[in-house]
Amino acid sequence: MIRFNKPYVTGNEMKNIQSVLKSGRMAGNGEFTQKCQEWLECEIGCGKALLTNSCTAALEMAIILADIGRGDEVIIPSYTFVSTANAVVLRGGIPVFVDIREDTLNIDETKIEAAITARTKAIIVVHYAGVACEMDTIMGIAEKYKLLVIEDAAQGILAKYKGRPLGSIGHLAALSFHETKNLVSGEGGALLINDAAFQKRAEIIWEKGTNRKEFYKGLVDKYSWVDIGSSYLPGELMAAFLYGQLISSEIIDRARMKVWNRYQESFAAAEKYNKFRRPIIPKEISHNGHIYYLLLPTASDRDQMLQRLQVKGIGVVFHYIPLHSSPAGIRYGRICGDMGVTDSVASRLIRLPLWGEMKEEEVELVISLVQDEANHIEENVLSE
Ligand SMILES: *Cc1c(COP(=O)(O)O)cnc(C)c1O
């Protein structure tokens, strides 16, 4: 049995947790929260970073900061996790779904302008598999129409677009440290604030709508309810675990990239015979080995490969059900244009096991079983 994913634990996490227990300060915004935030600000080169309980929470904060209200529209890809759209809907906004590009599976920047109306306030881009969206074009459109850009960089930590770390480009960005991501704390995330105008309000929203931060700094004489907010900041135990991951990020990413690169070179031949297509990484983009996927020729090829590999104990999985055709997406969202690429990709994509501590023989076993299945695809074609 080869699992789809297994978090990489470095050993530093436990030491940090023990130090929190010894200090007796377990609530949020303590020493390790500060350390994590400083690390993110320094490594990503973003503005202010605030740790959150999840990427979902960070996206909710971003939508509050963007002042999305009833009837306001936010342009997003349909091929993404529910949290991207949910954050908008929770504030009464309308997610407007745009199709994705065939190569990167990211929002198709050439289709964004057609989706803009008088009610459009923001664009949320999703860097699928840690491969950057076409940010220069997207930031240009946003500037032209005075829209905010929020990066859903849940999968994008330490990946780059033209040398710039993901999460440092949009006005706001959200990271995830969920168990399935590259760097983890079980559940966890961060809001990155690149436009300094949002910083003060972000800290209030983060602290349940209070001015507690100013109170502790001695700037006000009592702390009170000053704005809307929620309990978005995580406890110190989570931050302590996360800090152990952050300082080992290079080792973790290198280990993932090794597996990713081995897959990519092994499947080159099969791709030549049109058995499937491998991930496409545009020039000037460096990714972080977050996902290794294959696109099969048809939905039935994909379903068959998924089932046959799972029976053999290989943890392969498909990915998103497009939001525009999900029950809540139909109820709360709106489509702009054709969703052909999204629908096609969603039905043909398979993700292979990928984690840092995968043994070489495990990687080779996955490769050989996938290649066996690829031969099967040919048989199907010939017998038709
Ligand atoms: C994982 C993920 C999320 C949600 O992250 P959580 O930390 O689990 O809330 C949101 N968007 C994308 C694109 C993701 O991959």
Side-chain angles (χ1 to χ4, degrees):
M1 177 75 207
I2 300 178
R3 290 168 62 160
F4 170 68
N5 174 61
K6 189 165 166 244
Y8 191 118
V9 179
T10 69
N12 294 318
E13 297 88 348
M14 208 55 203
K15 239 178 26 220
N16 295 347
I17 286 174
Q18 270 157 355
S19 122
V20 172
L21 295 177
K22 226 159 97 195
S23 79
R25 291 179 208 278
M26 290 162 64
N29 205 2
E31 181 197 341
F32 281 103
T33 299
Q34 294 297 328
K35 282 186 153 146
C36 288
Q37 291 176 175
E38 279 162 23
W39 188 93
L40 292 170
E41 287 159 12
C42 175
E43 294 298 317
I44 297 180
C46 55
K48 177 76 193 152
L50 294 175
L51 282 199
T52 56
N53 288 306
S54 61
C55 178
T56 302
L59 288 166
E60 287 177 25
M61 288 181 71
I63 293 298
I64 294 173
L65 288 166
D67 239 343
I68 306 298
R70 189 152 303 279
D72 290 334
E73 296 177 0
V74 179
I75 295 168
I76 70 170
S78 169
Y79 197 64
T80 180
F81 190 59
V82 296
S83 298
T84 322
N86 234 333
V88 175
V89 173
L90 279 169
R91 305 296 307 154
I94 301 166
V96 177
F97 302 115
V98 168
D99 209 4
I100 52 173
R101 287 165 51 138
E102 298 214 24
D103 55 357
T104 57
L105 316 189
N106 286 331
I107 191 165
D108 187 337
E109 68 280 0
T110 66
K111 298 189 171 151
I112 290 176
E113 267 188 284
I116 295 172
T117 71
R119 300 301 311 258
T120 308
K121 282 205 155 168
I123 305 165
I124 309 180
V125 299
V126 179
H127 306 295
Y128 185 72
V131 177
C133 295
E134 185 32 55
M135 292 308 291
D136 280 348
T137 309
I138 292 165
M139 295 309 289
I141 294 168
E143 197 171 336
K144 182 170 161 195
Y145 293 92
K146 305 212 172 347
L147 307 176
L148 283 176
V149 174
I150 300 164
E151 295 180 71
D152 180 341
Q155 304 174 12
I157 191 152
L158 300 181
K160 288 181 178 145
Y161 171 79
K162 300 185 180 175
R164 301 166 69 191
L166 302 188
S168 70
I169 306 168
H171 301 90
L172 297 161
L175 301 176
S176 175
F177 303 113
H178 182 263
E179 176 189 283
T180 52
K181 304 302 200 283
N182 286 22
L183 305 175
V184 307
S185 56
E187 306 282 346
L191 175 71
L192 309 180
I193 304 150
N194 297 318
D195 182 338
F198 291 117
Q199 186 175 328
K200 189 164 170 226
R201 189 170 184 223
E203 284 172 335
I204 289 169
I205 293 166
W206 190 56
E207 285 269 24
K208 305 156 187 85
T210 70
N211 57 351
R212 182 152 75 181
K213 170 146 190 207
E214 288 179 303
F215 174 67
Y216 281 129
K217 275 186 164 171
L219 299 174
V220 289
D221 59 4
K222 54 180 173 296
Y223 92 79
S224 50
W225 183 27
V226 295
D227 200 343
I228 58 169
S230 192
S231 182
Y232 287 123
L233 77 163
E236 272 294 284
L237 291 174
M238 196 221 84
F241 190 101
L242 180 63
Y243 192 62
Q245 295 264 307
L246 295 181
I247 58 172
S248 302
S249 63
E250 266 180 48
I251 299 168
I252 297 173
D253 265 22
R254 209 178 307 132
R256 291 189 79 98
M257 282 303 290
K258 195 171 158 206
V259 178
W260 195 99
N261 286 328
R262 179 75 192 120
Y263 281 146
Q264 186 76 341
E265 71 189 28
S266 303
F267 296 132
E271 183 180 67
K272 236 168 55 205
Y273 295 107
N274 293 323
K275 304 291 180 71
F276 42 64
R277 103 125 160 84
R278 298 174 300 158
I280 296 169
I281 312 296
K283 278 198 296 272
E284 302 185 298
I285 280 172
S286 68
H287 70 104
N288 59 5
H290 178 60
I291 289 175
Y292 193 87
Y293 69 80
L294 293 171
L295 279 176
L296 281 290
T298 67
S300 74
D301 290 330
R302 193 279 304 270
D303 293 345
Q304 213 168 96
M305 184 181 277
L306 200 66
Q307 203 225 335
R308 290 166 61 103
L309 289 175
Q310 281 171 348
V311 166
K312 289 177 182 160
I314 308 299
V316 286
V317 292
F318 55 90
H319 214 175
Y320 305 124
I321 310 288
L323 296 183
H324 73 269
S325 50
S326 305
I330 294 167
R331 195 172 330 136
Y332 298 116
R334 179 164 76 65
I335 285 173
C336 178
D338 183 60
M339 290 287 140
V341 182
T342 301
D343 287 331
S344 167
V345 162
S347 71
R348 296 186 294 115
L349 184 139
I350 187 170
R351 288 180 294 159
L352 305 187
L354 175 53
W355 28 283
E357 288 167 306
M358 263 181 100
K359 295 197 198 80
E360 232 166 273
E361 58 263 34
E362 291 175 316
V363 179
E364 297 308 318
L365 178 62
V366 174
I367 290 168
S368 78
L369 290 175
V370 168
Q371 265 157 354
D372 287 351
E373 289 306 316
N375 293 332
H376 195 77
I377 291 170
E378 188 178 47
E379 281 162 31
N380 282 348
V381 174
L382 290 175
S383 64
E384 264 168 23

